[in-house]
Amino acid sequence: AFPYTVPIFAGFWFLAMAYGIQMSTSGFSFWYPMIMSAVIYGGSLEFVAVSMLLSPFAPVQTFLMTLMIQARHLFYGISMLDKYKDTGKYEPYLIFSLTDETYSLVCSGEIPEGVDGNKYYFLVSLFDQFYWVLGSVIGSVLGSVLDFNTAGIDFSMTALFLVVFVEQWKSTKDHASAITGVAASVVCLLIFGAGNFVIPAMICITIILFLMKKFRKGSDEVNGKNMSENSEITEVNVMHMSEEGEVEHV
């Protein structure tokens, strides 16, 4: 599983270090990002959590903000029901460790030949979290000994998402899902605004992809039925030609 997680390692390493540096420059010790990376393990939420920890105590606002940021994982989870339904003892951790990057890797990658699928999913998820935790700790330590301007460092999360999107675009010729995601996001952004478009966009994307899948499944069934009928017709024609040949021979 390790070779398949190397691209995630490259992205997580610098992204987690950026998070650790931000935590350090905000006045937190290295064990804060270490524990948060191990327990929360939600990159975008952890970046936002820095400002939450520095703000006055507001549990309701924090809950709603967390729900809005991480709500996309509800849709990830639904789409992973088939892959994770028979994972047994690995299932609780697989559910907890399902991040954007792990999701893209598990969905787009094929399980290596001769490798147990459940162990593969588990190790991919474990490696990805290990990269994140280690990177955040290293970033926190570096941030405590180095003095530099950290303005814009949180953009590294957006940059990683763009890299994942481009890699998925290159890996397949069918771009319907990607175009659907971009189009739905832009429309929802224009309608609901930058602060409220994520959840409506995810709902629209899920509905559209579900309808597309259902339509394609229906089309495949119709095509399969037509091919079966054409095959039967061909067999009948061959039988008739064979019978006519026998009659002529007689």
Side-chain angles (χ1 to χ4, degrees), residues 217-233:
K217 183 178 180 181
S219 299
D220 292 340
E221 291 178 352
V222 172
N223 291 335
K225 184 177 180 181
N226 291 338
M227 290 178 63
S228 177
E229 292 177 352
N230 291 335
S231 177
E232 292 177 356
I233 293 173

Side-chain angles (χ1 to χ4, degrees), residues 7 20 37 48 52 83 100 110 121-122 138 140 167 170 174 176 187 192 206 211 225 235 246:
S37 297
V48 176
M52 290 182 180
K83 286 182 177 292
D100 304 286
E110 295 293 335
Y121 295 145
F122 171 73
I138 293 176
S140 181
E167 288 298 322
K170 292 181 178 179
D174 184 4
V187 172
F192 299 101
T206 302
L211 294 176
K225 184 177 180 181
E235 291 179 358
E246 292 179 356

Side-chain angles (χ1 to χ4, degrees), residues 170-182:
K170 292 181 178 179
S171 64
T172 179
K173 295 181 179 179
D174 184 4
H175 303 309
S177 299
I179 295 174
T180 298
V182 172

